[in-house]
Every structure is written in C-alpha cells, then in structure tokens.
C-alpha cells in the first residue's frame, strides 16, 4: 500500500465514528491506526508513529508478528469455536501444558477466559472455594479491572466514581510506593518490613478473620510502574499463609516477558498460589488465564466456573506462537534493552528537576513528573504534575511518538513498548521525551 492511498478524510471519519457510536469509556491517544508493524503504527494519512505503549502493554512480540499471525490464520482455517470447555481441542490442551511448563514452581492447571478482569475474578473465586473464606486484601493504587468484582479490588477512586457499591469483602493496604511514603528515607529492607507490616495492620483492623487471599501486582502498572522492595512479595506470601489465605499474583500486565523475565514474580523468587495472565499472552488476541497448583485448582468442581468464549482456539494458537517468540530472543531483548533504558532514565532523572523518579523492570519503565516547587502528599516528595504529563504526551504525539500516561496521580510517563524494540528506536523515544521536557521548561 502506498502513502498516496491514505487520506485525511479517513482519519477524520474514524474519529467521528468513535465520537458518535462508541460509548465515551476511554480518552484516546488520538492516533487512528490503519496498519501496524513491529513498533510502528501508521494512521490513515500514512503518518508513522513509534509505539512505546504497545496497546497498554499487550503487543509484546511486536505488531504484525509473522509467527503469531500464521498460527492464528492456520487455526482460523480449521475451526474458530467449539466452546473449549465442551469440545476438547489441541490448541487449548497444548497451551495449558506450555503454561504449566513456563510458569514458576508447581503451578499446573489453568482456566482460560477472555481478559485480565475475568482472570482476576476467577482467581478470587478459586481462592474462596479452596480456603472456604471470603475476604480479600488488595493494595491502594492497585488496578485489577473495571467490572464490579475486580473494581472492588482496584484501589483508586477515579475508577469507582458512580459505580458503587462493589464487593464489601475487600480491604486495602498501603502500596509499597517508597517515593511517596513517609518511610521514604529508610533502607529498602526496612521499607519492605514496614510495608508488609501495613498489611498485617489492615488484616487486624479491617477484616473479620475470614481471609481468602491477598492479591498484588508484582510491579504496579496503572499505579505508576511501582516496583516493590526485593523481599516484599515473599513477606506478603508469608503473611497470607499465616492467615490460611493464598497469594494471588496479578501478572496481567507484568507477564510474558514484559519485565525481562517471563513472569515478574521470578525477579522476587516467589511462586504465587494463583497467577493471573492476559494482555501479552496472545499478542493482542483476546485471552486471559489463571493458573494454580493441582491441589488448589482441583477445588473447583464441574459448574463452579465457565466461559463460553474462554480458551478460544484461535487465540490459544496465537498464544503458543507468542510464547515461542518470547522464549527465543524477545524476552532476552526486553532484559537487555531494559537494562540500558534503566540507566538512561536515571540520567534523565538527574538532568531534569521535573523528573521526580524513574523506576521499572525490563521494558516496563515509568518517569514520574513533578512540580519541584511544591510539596506533594505526605510532604515527602515534590507534588505530582499531571498537567505536565499531559502536555509532554501531546508533544510526543505531535513528534510521531506514542507514550502512555498513568499513575495514581496521572503524572507518570509509561514506557512499555513491544519487547522486540531496538536500541535505536528507544533512543528516538528518549530524544523525543527530552525535547518535550525542554519545551515545557
């Protein structure tokens, strides 16, 4: 396709249709996409954009990945749907076996669904069935989904306004967010101890002693790319087990190579009791999953849980191909480029007063933008500057670069590109970020 076949009218037509016919559920990045390849998005005028967001951390092995596309196409030509829980089929069986092989520890049996939200809600149901208890501890600033069950776990009022009531068996503990903690100046080890103690305090003060699970993101995505201290997850799992509860690791955003390991919990030497997955699992095809050891998974009985479209064979075939790519060079590239990017972002933090902190693992990196002349919450760090983040995002988009904005305060630039990205492409993104920050000085 030549660029002469692209027209501005098509861009405007798509945007107009979104305004007129889609519910206003999400603020668009305003980049209509006609084609995508690797780390490049192309709109209807032929303009190209460097994608540093990968569709909210989804297209892990790159847009238009040939192996994934071929696997999905081959399965499409065989059959599309037979309800995977009614008619056993090869892609589902093979993918379940592969997940048992690649997930840590004794995680063995998987339930397939369609999204991360469904995976989270299914994991909570399984924890309740296995333990016989009902209450769940989640973290403030956490994001686990937007349906009423998962929304109850999400620790951010911005997602809940007008949506209450949700489940009432959920309590929230402070996030392990040292940059904005009153314990900002203590060592990482001491902070891990204090953050874990916060969970104990919430259990004692806000539950009835009927705890089924504690759910955490190994790295908090929507919360602002918050990486916990090294032994925090291990401490949380110990607390859960002491209360006869389970640890659920929500790896919907962190899984499938995003942090430089196949699963982020591997950075912390923790095997959760239940692990949720979605986003990068099938490189953009709708698929979610949660996986548990047989002793926990077999707590479900026939009819306890089901999904008509869960484990769609086309999506499962794509996931198998995506895992093959991740086990090849892609995850290694995420680790290598992530190490390089971490150093570059640390330099950016030292260079600009408006960059309060940079943090992340692999190719899941955040740049927290602040107003250095004002003090933020808890009086321990500069005030969040969501306005600056919004303007930086606009500058980047005008320069042909797509970068996400998130965080509890909407002030964190999110670098979560396809894991196949090259250092040259990352350099272009960082150059664009510097130009955008200079423009706002």
């Amino acid at each position: 396709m030549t660029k002469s076949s692209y027209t501005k009218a098509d861009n405007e037509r798509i945007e107009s249709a979104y305004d007129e016919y889609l519910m206003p559920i999400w603020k668009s990045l305003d980049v209509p996409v006609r084609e995508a390849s690797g780390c490049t998005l192309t709109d209807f005028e032929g303009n190209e954009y460097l994608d540093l967001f990968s569709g909210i951390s989804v297209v892990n092995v790159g847009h238009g990945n040939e192996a994934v596309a071929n696997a999905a196409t081959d399965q499409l030509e065989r059959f599309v749907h037979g309800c995977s829980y009614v008619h056993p089929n090869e892609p589902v069986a093979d993918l379940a076996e592969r997940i048992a092989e690649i997930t840590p520890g004794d995680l063995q049996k998987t339930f397939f669904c369609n999204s991360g939200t469904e995976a989270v809600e299914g994991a909570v149901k399984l924890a309740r069935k296995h333990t016989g208890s009902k209450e769940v501890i989640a973290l403030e600033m956490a994001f686990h989904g937007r349906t009423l069950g998962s929304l109850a776990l999400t620790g951010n009022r911005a997602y809940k306004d007008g949506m209450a009531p949700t489940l009432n068996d959920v309590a929230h503990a402070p996030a392990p967010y040292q940059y904005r903690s009153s314990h900002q100046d203590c060592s990482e080890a001491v902070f891990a101890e204090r953050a874990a103690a916060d969970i104990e305090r919430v259990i004692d003060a806000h539950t009835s002693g009927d705890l089924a699970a504690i759910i955490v993101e190994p790295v908090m995505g929507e919360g602002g790319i918050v990486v916990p201290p090294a032994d925090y997850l291990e401490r949380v799992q110990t607390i859960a087990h002491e209360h006869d509860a389970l640890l659920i690791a929500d790896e919907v955003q962190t899984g499938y190579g995003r942090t430089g390991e196949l699963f982020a919990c591997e950075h912390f030497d923790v095997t959760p009791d239940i692990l949720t997955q979605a986003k990068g699992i099938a490189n953009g095809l709708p698929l979610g999953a949660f996986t548990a050891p047989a002793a926990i998974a077999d707590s479900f009985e026939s009819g306890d849980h089901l999904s008509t479209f869960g484990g769609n064979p086309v999506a499962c075939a794509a996931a198998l191909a995506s895992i093959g790519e991740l086990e090849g060079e892609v995850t290694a590239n995420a680790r290598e480029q992530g190490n390089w990017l971490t150093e570059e972002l640390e330099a950016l933090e030292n260079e600009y007063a408006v960059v309060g902190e940079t943090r992340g693992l692999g190719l899941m990196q955040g740049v927290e933008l602040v107003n250095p002349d004002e003090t933020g919450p808890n009086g321990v760090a500069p005030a969040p500057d969501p306005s600056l983040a919004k303007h930086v995002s606009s500058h980047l988009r005008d320069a042909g670069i797509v970068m996400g904005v998130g965080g509890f305060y909407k002030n964190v630039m999110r670098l979560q590109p396809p894991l196949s990205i090259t250092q040259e492409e990352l350099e272009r993104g960082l150059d664009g970020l510097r130009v955008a920050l200079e423009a706002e000085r």
Side-chain angles (χ1 to χ4, degrees), residues 350-369:
N350 293 327
E351 186 177 350
Y352 292 93
V354 295
V355 177
E357 184 178 59
T358 60
R359 53 185 179 257
L361 289 174
L363 289 176
M364 185 175 183
Q365 300 279 343
V367 177
E368 178 153 358
L369 300 182

Side-chain angles (χ1 to χ4, degrees), residues 41-389:
L41 307 174
T42 305
D43 71 9
F44 288 84
E45 297 179 52
N47 300 308
E48 294 183 347
Y49 297 82
L50 175 64
D51 183 9
L52 298 181
F53 200 30
S54 55
I56 317 183
S57 197
V58 169
V59 192
N60 284 11
V61 300
H63 294 283
N65 181 280
E66 185 175 359
V68 175
N70 288 343
T73 300
D74 289 347
Q75 182 57 42
L76 276 168
E77 292 174 348
R78 290 180 174 89
F79 66 95
V80 174
H81 174 74
C83 187
S84 299
Y85 295 101
V86 174
H87 301 293
N89 62 77
E90 189 173 31
V92 172
D94 288 351
L95 179 58
E97 183 177 1
R98 289 295 288 124
I99 289 175
E101 293 169 352
I102 65 174
T103 49
D106 58 352
L107 297 172
Q108 179 185 342
K109 292 192 174 185
T110 293
F111 182 95
F112 291 115
C113 48
N114 305 284
S115 68
T117 294
E118 291 175 63
V120 165
E121 293 206 10
V124 170
K125 283 182 67 176
L126 177 59
R128 286 178 161 187
K129 184 69 187 292
H130 179 74
T131 63
S133 298
K134 297 295 183 288
E135 295 174 311
V136 181
I137 299 293
L139 297 180
E140 295 171 354
M141 298 171 44
F143 182 86
H144 298 291
R146 296 173 187 263
T147 57
L148 291 181
S150 59
L151 190 61
L153 302 168
T154 294
N156 189 335
R157 176 181 172 180
Y159 297 112
K160 298 185 179 188
D161 274 352
M163 304 298 174
T166 57
L167 299 182
N168 59 6
D169 294 322
V170 177
H172 289 86
Y177 186 17
Q178 191 166 6
Y179 179 67
R180 294 202 176 277
S181 166
S182 57
H183 305 304
Q184 185 187 50
D185 295 329
C186 67
S187 70
E188 183 176 292
V190 171
F191 180 69
E193 182 179 353
R194 291 176 177 175
D198 281 334
I199 291 180
E200 285 277 23
R201 176 183 56 78
V202 168
I203 291 173
D204 290 342
H206 299 287
T207 74
S208 65
D210 189 39
L211 189 64
I214 302 174
I215 183 168
V216 298
E217 302 162 87
V219 177
M220 300 180 75
E222 301 297 320
I225 318 296
V226 175
V227 183
D231 59 348
Y232 174 76
L233 289 181
E234 186 176 359
R235 288 176 179 272
V236 173
Q237 186 169 45
T238 298
I239 292 169
H241 290 175
E242 287 174 348
H243 290 271
D244 298 320
L246 304 181
L247 175 68
I248 302 173
D250 183 349
E251 294 248 21
V252 166
Q253 190 166 154
T254 56
Y256 292 94
R258 173 56 54 189
T259 65
E261 298 288 348
L262 272 177
F263 297 96
C265 57
E266 296 177 80
H267 290 282
F268 306 100
D269 295 323
V270 168
T271 298
D273 300 299
I274 307 176
L275 187 149
T276 68
Q277 307 133 69
K279 289 191 182 289
I281 187 173
N283 208 48
L285 275 76
L287 184 65
F290 57 98
T291 305
I296 295 174
D298 289 344
S299 299
F300 267 169
E301 300 173 88
S302 178
D304 279 345
H305 205 51
L306 194 64
S307 172
T308 298
F309 295 108
N312 174 272
V314 178
C316 288
L320 283 163
S322 183
I323 291 170
E325 297 285 280
L326 290 165
E327 288 190 309
E329 298 179 358
V330 176
T331 299
N333 185 67
R335 185 162 51 249
E336 178 183 348
Q337 301 300 340
N339 290 338
W340 177 86
L341 182 58
T342 296
E343 293 182 1
E344 292 295 311
L345 291 178
E346 287 174 355
L348 195 76
E349 181 180 334
N350 293 327
E351 186 177 350
Y352 292 93
V354 295
V355 177
E357 184 178 59
T358 60
R359 53 185 179 257
L361 289 174
L363 289 176
M364 185 175 183
Q365 300 279 343
V367 177
E368 178 153 358
L369 300 182
V370 299
N371 181 343
D373 299 322
E374 296 182 9
T375 302
N378 298 322
V380 294
D385 197 337
S387 177
L388 175 59

